[in-house]
Amino acid sequence: MDNITDNTSNMAWYSKGVVDYVDNWFLMSTPWPVIAIWLTYIAFVLKLGPSYMSKRPAYHLKNTLLLYNISQVVLSAYIFNYGVDILSNWGLVSSQCATEGKDSQHYILRGVYIYFLAKVSELLDTVFFVLRKKMNQVTFLHVYHHSLMMLSTWCAIKYNPTDAVVFLGTINSLVHVVMYGYYGLSAYPSLAKYLWWKKYITSFQLVSIVFLPPCIPSLFNDAQYLVCHQI
């Protein structure tokens, strides 16, 4: 049990995670780096950014947005493929020890970690809204969603690394392939006639939420596949 901590209670601010090697990953040693990113994000999108842009024309950022959205499509497609591989090998949500050995444990956690890094990068969505003076899109729900996804995924990796989050991340990444694909193409008005599928994106997002309930119970199983193996 070298990499399983004895103290699993009151871990919200405990700097050591459930799995030792996770502590060595970028942004994972303590909560403070990710909290600093979040606070900077909140300060910029709600106060500093709007104040900076108040007397400036909107930035167009066409090429930047194209590169950003292509990168997000590629990253989301990679995570989706990674998640499908995990699910095909270990199932939807494990009810018992789902993996065998440290290698499979590391493989699953690495996938969740890549998903977390994607959530950090997606904070730029809101930053670009502010720089383009599209404040009508900086809604409470938008900011709350981006904040929650980043912070909750960090906590899942650090303190409760259950494989239940894999299915949620896989579905979410598929949605993002479509969503960022649309955003990238919509930056070019000449392509508007090819974006007839825009109206289906919201429906796709809502349908993906239907898959959430089966996974919820396992999200609170105290890192079941790690404790079960006692590696």
Side-chain angles (χ1 to χ4, degrees), residues 101-118:
K102 189 173 182 178
D103 290 342
S104 55
Q105 176 202 79
H106 186 279
Y107 183 72
I108 292 176
L109 281 182
R110 177 175 175 270
V112 180
Y113 176 67
I114 295 171
Y115 179 78
F116 159 70
L117 294 179

Side-chain angles (χ1 to χ4, degrees), residues 96-171:
Q96 54 185 355
C97 296
T99 60
E100 295 297 336
K102 189 173 182 178
D103 290 342
S104 55
Q105 176 202 79
H106 186 279
Y107 183 72
I108 292 176
L109 281 182
R110 177 175 175 270
V112 180
Y113 176 67
I114 295 171
Y115 179 78
F116 159 70
L117 294 179
K119 300 305 108 180
V120 176
S121 71
E122 288 166 15
L123 298 181
L124 288 173
D125 287 8
T126 326
V127 173
F128 291 140
F129 284 152
V130 174
L131 295 178
R132 297 168 67 205
K133 302 188 80 167
K134 294 184 176 293
M135 294 304 297
N136 61 306
Q137 294 181 291
V138 185
T139 63
F140 170 80
L141 183 60
H142 173 90
V143 175
Y144 174 79
H145 170 75
H146 280 285
S147 300
L148 179 65
M149 292 301 291
M150 180 184 70
L151 296 173
S152 63
T153 306
W154 187 93
C155 290
I157 299 170
K158 186 78 169 179
Y159 301 128
N160 188 29
T162 172
D163 54 354
V165 299
V166 173
F167 180 71
L168 302 179
T170 302
I171 294 298

Side-chain angles (χ1 to χ4, degrees), residues 19 55 78 131 181:
V19 186
K55 296 182 180 180
Y78 175 79
L131 295 178

Side-chain angles (χ1 to χ4, degrees), residues 164-179:
V165 299
V166 173
F167 180 71
L168 302 179
T170 302
I171 294 298
N172 182 251
S173 296
L174 178 59
V175 171
H176 281 199
V177 169
V178 177
M179 184 181 74

Side-chain angles (χ1 to χ4, degrees), residues 59-80:
Y59 292 98
H60 294 295
L61 303 176
K62 182 178 293 187
N63 292 331
T64 300
L65 287 172
L66 179 62
L67 179 61
Y68 172 72
N69 287 303
I70 289 176
S71 300
Q72 290 293 353
V73 168
V74 172
L75 179 58
S76 296
Y78 175 79
I79 296 172
F80 173 73

